[in-house]
Amino acid sequence: MIRYSSGPSRGLDPLYIDDIYIDYTYAKIVDSNTVGADEDVFMAAPPVESKLVSIVAHGIVEDETRLLIGGFVIEGTEPVDVYIQALGEELVGLGGLEVTADEVLKDPRIRLVRSGNVVRENDDWESEIDAEELAAISWNWGFKAPETESKSAVVLANLTPGTYTVVVDGKGDEGVVLLEIYHLDEGW
């Protein structure tokens, strides 16, 4: 959820998305009929209701000492549908990362943690979701799903409001992994 704040002493209305500060874009408006020649008028776009729909991170996982960890907070009073995936083998040939088959994490595991307790865990995506359902979700939401027979991990859950941590490990293996967390706005 995006929180609004009355910005610094300038009296502007910046956005705060977690700890990321975003200032509005201002446009200079000059109208010779209403504004004096030496005056500037600046207008800010009004705040718009918006929400975060995905979080994506990649990193190197090494045995149990170097993990990929992401987190998110669900605000409000209603449960939210969330799709989480950790991709390994699918990264080979994926634009921008330039990793080889030897460099990727072959068998990632996801642990979803709340208040210190593992609430969901997945090792191989096929034990969490069937291929047709996964294809429909990835098509509807526009993300790359795990390949058939890959060892990538997936968690599909309806989560109550609270703070969650996603921990990705390689069960003793090491390599590059991509973690993606999606808020599925209208279910799956």
Side-chain angles (χ1 to χ4, degrees):
M1 175 174 193
I2 294 178
R3 294 173 292 198
Y4 298 96
S5 173
S6 63
S9 60
R10 299 182 317 213
L12 308 176
D13 289 330
L15 289 176
Y16 284 89
I17 304 175
D18 292 327
D19 293 325
I20 302 170
Y21 173 85
I22 301 173
D23 211 345
Y24 291 116
T25 302
Y26 291 85
K28 181 177 179 181
I29 300 175
V30 178
D31 180 344
S32 60
N33 295 326
T34 58
V35 179
D38 296 320
E39 296 177 20
D40 292 333
V41 176
F42 294 92
M43 297 181 64
V48 274
E49 189 121 351
S50 185
K51 65 181 154 195
L52 185 65
V53 294
S54 68
I55 301 169
V56 179
H58 75 279
I60 298 173
V61 171
E62 295 176 356
D63 53 61
E64 293 295 321
T65 61
R66 187 172 177 184
L67 309 171
L68 184 59
I69 300 173
F72 59 96
V73 175
I74 298 173
E75 294 182 335
T77 59
E78 299 298 317
V80 171
D81 295 325
V82 176
Y83 175 87
I84 304 166
Q85 67 181 9
L87 302 178
E89 297 169 317
E90 290 82 1
L91 301 180
V92 176
L94 189 63
L97 291 180
E98 299 179 18
V99 293
T100 66
D102 292 335
E103 296 171 314
V104 297
L105 187 62
K106 306 285 189 271
D107 192 5
R109 173 176 53 189
I110 292 173
R111 286 178 284 172
L112 180 61
V113 180
R114 181 173 182 193
S115 301
N117 300 310
V118 176
V119 294
R120 293 289 292 274
E121 183 173 339
N122 183 261
D123 183 9
D124 296 319
W125 72 267
E126 291 175 316
S127 65
E128 177 78 10
I129 185 173
D130 69 49
E132 286 182 21
E133 186 177 22
L134 179 59
I137 292 170
S138 66
W139 174 261
N140 287 338
W141 295 97
F143 58 82
K144 180 172 180 51
E147 301 288 335
T148 305
E149 310 219 3
S150 93
K151 297 288 187 183
S152 292
V154 165
V155 168
L156 182 60
N158 184 267
L159 302 175
T160 57
T163 302
Y164 294 87
T165 302
V166 180
V167 180
V168 179
D169 69 63
K171 302 176 299 183
D173 198 9
E174 64 181 59
V176 177
V177 65
L178 180 71
L179 169 63
E180 299 177 304
I181 304 168
Y182 294 91
H183 170 209
L184 302 182
D185 194 26
E186 300 177 23
W188 57 79

